[in-house]
Amino acid sequence: MNSSKKHWQNLQHDSNAELGQFVALNQDILAELLTFIDFSEKFTLGFIEINFPPDGELLVEALTTNSQCEEIQFVILKFADPNLRFLRDEIVKELPTIEREANKKLVLIIQGLEKSIGVYGEYPPFLQDLNFVRDAYKKTVPYPILFVLPDYAINRLAKFAPDFWAWRSGVFRFKTLEKTRENAITQTLESNIKGVFRFKTLEKTRENAITQTLESNIKIDRIEPQEKQERIEILQSLLMEYKPTSEKTNDGNLRRYSNILLELGTAYISQHQAKTAREYLAEALQIAEKLADVNFKRQVLNKIGDVYREERKFETAINYYQQGLDIAKELKNRNGESYALFKISNAYLDLRQFLEARKYYQQCLEIYQELDDHDNQASTYHQLGIVAQEMREYAQARDFYQQALSIKIEFGDRYSQARTYHNLGIVAQEMREYAQARDFYQQALAIFIEFGDRYSQASTYHQLGIVAQEMREYAQARDFYQLALSIKIEFGDRFSQALTYHCLGTLAKAQEDYTEARTNLQKALEIYVEYKDEYWGNIAREILERLPE
């Protein structure tokens, strides 16, 4: 037997084994569903709760291969477009394309609607329409319909499309196959998507693995938007596994549930959806207090601080970080202390309170040296470089960046070298050493491209645009700015877009294209006002006021 044939047979054997396990786990509810299908006629609604797509595929296979369904023609319709609004219209389009099998009852199985239902927000357009046109289904779709949806999507449908939901004739809640759940957890916690959630060995419990993910310095922003959304969908399904709607949860599952809430909050912060992140984190904080888990509470408080920092409410962010710091001190958790101190330093840097930022970074550095933590020593030297740079102490800034870079090179941290090369470029740029600045930026960009980090590429393209503009290479400057802007829009980083619109405005002003300058500066100003950033807002207003008519 050749190897490819044997591999195929092994896969087929594994698939058959999983199907058997799924059927055995859900034999009672499957029997109820088969009875429902047998007796359903014309337009009949059934809802099947399955939290993970792999189990959905097993269910379809279980139905289509079941001897009781020999006179049933199942047709699978998948509608995975998150922008879908008019489901009935789409079903009506599909019906004429179905090749009917003689003497068989047609049953529609609809999958993928959780994407258009969403996981947050009120009255999604899809559900509004579903509720509004329910009467039309009786005439235009005269067949039994089985909606396969995860728990949260069924819950949202019941809440936001109550009239349609009232027509249900059955709800069938299937248990998740253990292998499916474990695969989802593995994909979430041990994923090596572009190196962001990489764990070579799982040395701690799963809960500690979550902590390691949340408190690492690696940015979730490095994940592409589509991958972030897929991650959120997996987490949302896991959330329902540990706390199904209307069911009580024991303390063990509640801890897992709260950890997933924390993960979801982190994921939504990375999508710049602060309000949604805060909702999940607020629930996580309530659970931490209920369980009297002060260490978990510390993690949640720090993450809520990140939410407020995302909203540029820096004083509020510092308040939450300080609460996290106080708990870490009580627990004598030096890593936790340094983590909160670093966050506080960043917030003071955002507030342009550079002396305060420097003070807290120095405290961080002392702890990292005590712990012999080279990675975080490098990160702190880098941040001290930013402080010195903002204070126009360029020689000092360069020294800090070089200290950071030497540690990163010594310990082989190639990815984070990019950020320091980038900032060395900024220092050279401020010192009007434009050729040197360009060289540093190109080194940073090469690493970002090597690691597939599109989000960070945007900042470097932006700075390359500034260098080109200073060297009066205006066409190239525009190209770099547009590259930066397109990535920032793709990743939903609205405030950062303002900085690039600002530079496009000053570029147009330099070229005496005052209409274009006004358009871009006005776009920048609107975002500054939205984020209540007076510093950059005042600069934009001053330039706008001086533009010739």
Side-chain angles (χ1 to χ4, degrees), residues 260-534:
I260 295 167
L261 287 170
L262 185 52
E263 282 272 270
L264 277 164
T266 303
Y268 278 113
I269 291 170
S270 79
Q271 285 197 323
H272 311 289
Q273 296 181 29
K275 181 181 177 183
T276 305
R278 192 185 301 113
E279 291 173 358
Y280 285 110
L281 294 170
E283 187 176 356
L285 187 60
Q286 288 177 352
I287 295 172
E289 291 173 345
K290 176 183 177 181
L291 297 175
D293 187 338
V294 290
N295 191 53
F296 182 67
K297 181 179 179 180
R298 173 187 66 83
Q299 297 168 46
V300 177
L301 289 168
N302 284 328
K303 199 54 62 175
I304 293 174
D306 289 347
V307 172
Y308 283 107
R309 187 175 175 222
E310 169 67 26
E311 295 181 308
R312 304 188 70 76
K313 297 175 181 177
F314 302 121
E315 291 92 346
T316 307
I318 288 171
N319 178 50
Y320 279 95
Y321 294 143
Q322 186 63 52
Q323 292 180 62
L325 177 61
D326 292 342
I327 293 174
K329 287 180 176 178
E330 289 175 14
L331 296 173
K332 294 181 170 51
N333 181 340
R334 296 292 273 168
N335 277 315
E337 284 184 51
S338 60
Y339 181 81
L341 285 167
F342 194 86
K343 294 283 188 177
I344 291 171
S345 308
N346 290 341
Y348 276 120
L349 181 57
D350 291 326
L351 284 166
R352 306 186 69 77
Q353 296 181 22
F354 303 125
L355 293 177
E356 284 295 299
R358 176 177 286 172
K359 179 180 74 175
Y360 282 101
Y361 282 133
Q362 290 289 0
Q363 292 179 46
C364 284
L365 189 59
E366 290 172 9
I367 296 176
Y368 291 139
Q369 288 170 340
E370 171 194 327
L371 298 174
D372 199 28
D373 185 339
H374 300 288
D375 287 344
N376 281 315
Q377 285 179 47
S379 297
T380 308
Y381 279 126
H382 179 99
Q383 294 303 112
L384 283 165
I386 294 176
V387 172
Q389 175 185 308
E390 291 289 350
M391 296 176 73
R392 300 182 180 278
E393 299 170 355
Y394 297 126
Q396 176 81 79
R398 180 170 283 173
D399 286 346
F400 280 132
Y401 289 140
Q402 291 292 357
Q403 283 180 282
L405 189 62
S406 64
I407 294 173
K408 293 173 181 181
I409 291 173
E410 179 184 354
F411 289 91
D413 186 358
R414 179 157 170 76
Y415 170 75
S416 69
Q417 292 171 32
R419 292 180 60 242
T420 304
Y421 280 125
H422 177 100
N423 282 40
L424 281 166
I426 294 175
V427 170
Q429 178 183 311
E430 292 292 342
M431 298 176 75
R432 299 184 180 280
E433 299 171 357
Y434 297 124
Q436 179 71 74
R438 178 173 284 172
D439 182 58
F440 281 131
Y441 289 140
Q442 292 291 1
Q443 289 183 76
L445 186 63
I447 296 172
F448 288 140
I449 291 172
E450 174 188 337
F451 281 81
D453 184 355
R454 282 178 50 71
Y455 182 78
S456 296
Q457 290 170 38
S459 296
T460 305
Y461 281 129
H462 177 97
Q463 293 303 128
L464 282 166
I466 294 175
V467 168
Q469 183 175 336
E470 292 289 347
M471 298 176 74
R472 298 183 183 279
E473 298 171 355
Y474 295 139
Q476 188 170 56
R478 180 183 293 275
D479 288 345
F480 281 133
Y481 288 143
Q482 291 292 355
L483 280 168
L485 186 62
S486 65
I487 295 172
K488 291 175 180 182
I489 291 171
E490 175 188 346
F491 279 80
D493 189 348
R494 185 154 169 75
F495 182 80
S496 185
Q497 292 168 36
L499 300 175
T500 304
Y501 280 125
H502 190 122
C503 286
L504 281 166
T506 61
L507 175 64
K509 177 177 177 288
Q511 295 178 288
E512 299 184 353
D513 185 345
Y514 301 122
T515 301
E516 180 71 15
R518 184 171 287 104
T519 298
N520 283 308
L521 285 165
Q522 191 61 47
K523 287 179 181 178
L525 181 59
E526 288 171 3
I527 298 174
Y528 294 146
V529 170
E530 176 186 334
Y531 282 85
K532 297 180 175 60
D533 191 307
E534 294 183 5

